[in-house]
Amino acid sequence: MRKEDLRIVFMGTPEFAVETLKALVENDYNVVGVVTQPDKPVGRHGSVLQPPAVKQYSLERGLPVLQPAKMKDPAFVEQLRGLRANLQVVVAFRMLPEVVWAMPEYGTFNVHAALLPNYRGAAPINWAVINGETETGVTTFFLDHDIDTGRIIMQLPFDIPDTADAEYVYDGLMHLGAEICLKTLQCIVEADGRPASEPQREADNLKPAPKLVKENCEVDWHQPVKRVYDFIRGLSPYPGAWSTLTGPDGREVTLKFFRTTKTGRPSADVPGRIVVDKRRLYVTTGDCQLQIDELQQSGKKRMDAASFLNGMKGW
């Protein structure tokens, strides 16, 4: 098979997916159509529609764009079939029904931002950092009936430094995802559309990557300082780890935390107490104090700890 024989439909929505789509276009793959989410209402009254990053790039390159509200919509399915794709590539999209993922002759493969079978789910990058992993990576696999369980085609690793936050890993995997997609496509071409793949191993101790909501982004200060440190960097900069704490003057403040430093200062007080010492800001954890370097008070801008303390009279 030649690469020109592939007719590819690309499916994705955020900036993370654009890098892979860009790689396909710049390496002369035949992208016959792009599927992305509908434009999102933004602004105070939701009166402005913001197109997804993938749509913006696709229109710049003159690629046909489909934006179905429902993936099972018969009209959309017919439009998709009309593109006559023999392969579909999915990056950071949504769960697909069988009528969609089973449509192309050579199937549908997904680029997932983790080393499957660990971190199946919506937020694999965040949870890998939260759990203090020193390595993650990207996986390509064929879609099947369940979420992130299909046969693995290829994996590439990525190191996570102890100082890295979720944004660092996101940027790294965004580029590595484009690389593994091109390598996977080359495998598909060389194997005449049927590349080697392996089933995922199953175990009771696999680590999940559930969707991030406000409730599971609240800091538990009773944990050891290393766990709290990892939790905060794993949610930085988005959606942000948060907590409501009581200051030295008795005022309650709701804060988001973006950058911290582990210390060996023992926690002489109960977990979750604010400590101000020599114009530095700390919060007690289950064993040591965590130095807060960058934060955001509810309703205000993100700032360093010194600027925050300058505005908190009486601390």
Side-chain angles (χ1 to χ4, degrees), residues 80-98:
L80 186 62
R81 188 172 285 114
L83 294 173
R84 298 184 294 110
N86 52 20
L87 179 70
Q88 292 175 159
V89 177
V90 180
V91 183
F93 196 45
R94 59 167 106 166
M95 189 172 181
L96 303 181
E98 183 174 3

Side-chain angles (χ1 to χ4, degrees), residues 288-308:
C288 296
Q289 295 178 17
L290 182 69
Q291 181 176 309
I292 309 301
D293 300 317
E294 199 167 355
L295 71 165
Q296 181 179 16
Q297 187 175 354
S298 181
K300 297 187 177 182
K301 294 181 179 180
R302 178 173 168 173
M303 63 186 73
D304 60 43
S307 299
F308 170 76

Side-chain angles (χ1 to χ4, degrees), residues 111-312:
V111 178
H112 187 72
L115 296 176
L116 292 172
N118 277 314
Y119 299 110
R120 294 169 176 163
I125 294 173
N126 301 93
W127 286 105
V129 181
I130 288 170
N131 289 335
E133 302 285 4
T134 58
E135 182 183 74
T136 184
V138 287
T139 302
T140 50
F141 68 96
F142 284 114
L143 294 189
D144 63 12
H145 292 90
D146 297 312
I147 298 176
D148 301 335
T149 60
R151 295 179 66 88
I152 291 174
I153 308 167
M154 186 178 295
Q155 294 186 315
L156 293 176
F158 180 83
D159 290 335
I160 306 176
D162 183 63
T163 55
D165 60 13
E167 183 175 41
Y168 173 92
V169 181
Y170 179 100
D171 289 344
L173 295 189
M174 180 172 66
H175 292 92
L176 195 62
E179 178 182 336
I180 199 173
C181 182
L182 293 177
K183 289 179 181 291
T184 300
L185 287 172
Q186 185 61 35
C187 285
I188 290 173
V189 168
E190 293 174 355
D192 290 327
R194 307 298 176 196
S197 60
E198 297 182 355
Q200 295 187 34
R201 63 176 177 82
E202 296 296 334
D204 294 333
N205 60 346
L206 293 179
K207 299 172 184 177
K211 183 178 180 180
L212 295 170
V213 295
K214 183 178 180 180
E215 288 73 21
N216 61 10
C217 293
E218 184 176 5
V219 181
D220 179 2
W221 300 103
H222 290 81
Q223 296 188 92
V225 68
K226 174 65 164 67
R227 290 285 299 161
V228 178
Y229 169 79
D230 290 340
F231 185 80
I232 290 171
R233 69 189 179 100
L235 296 173
S236 178
Y238 182 83
W242 69 276
S243 184
T244 299
L245 301 173
T246 302
D249 59 357
R251 278 184 290 173
E252 280 197 345
V253 288
T254 298
L255 304 169
K256 278 189 176 181
F257 307 95
F258 298 101
R259 189 167 53 86
T260 65
T261 301
K262 302 187 297 292
T263 78
R265 293 167 55 105
S267 289
D269 209 334
V270 296
R273 287 290 178 89
I274 291 176
V275 178
V276 178
D277 183 27
K278 297 179 181 178
R279 303 311 294 164
R280 290 187 178 179
L281 178 64
Y282 304 89
V283 180
T284 56
T285 72
D287 55 5
C288 296
Q289 295 178 17
L290 182 69
Q291 181 176 309
I292 309 301
D293 300 317
E294 199 167 355
L295 71 165
Q296 181 179 16
Q297 187 175 354
S298 181
K300 297 187 177 182
K301 294 181 179 180
R302 178 173 168 173
M303 63 186 73
D304 60 43
S307 299
F308 170 76
L309 288 173
N310 286 338
M312 300 301 289

Side-chain angles (χ1 to χ4, degrees), residues 20-37:
T20 301
L21 177 57
K22 182 180 177 182
L24 297 184
V25 171
E26 293 182 353
N27 283 274
D28 299 321
Y29 279 96
N30 184 18
V31 180
V32 297
V34 174
V35 181
T36 189
Q37 297 272 37

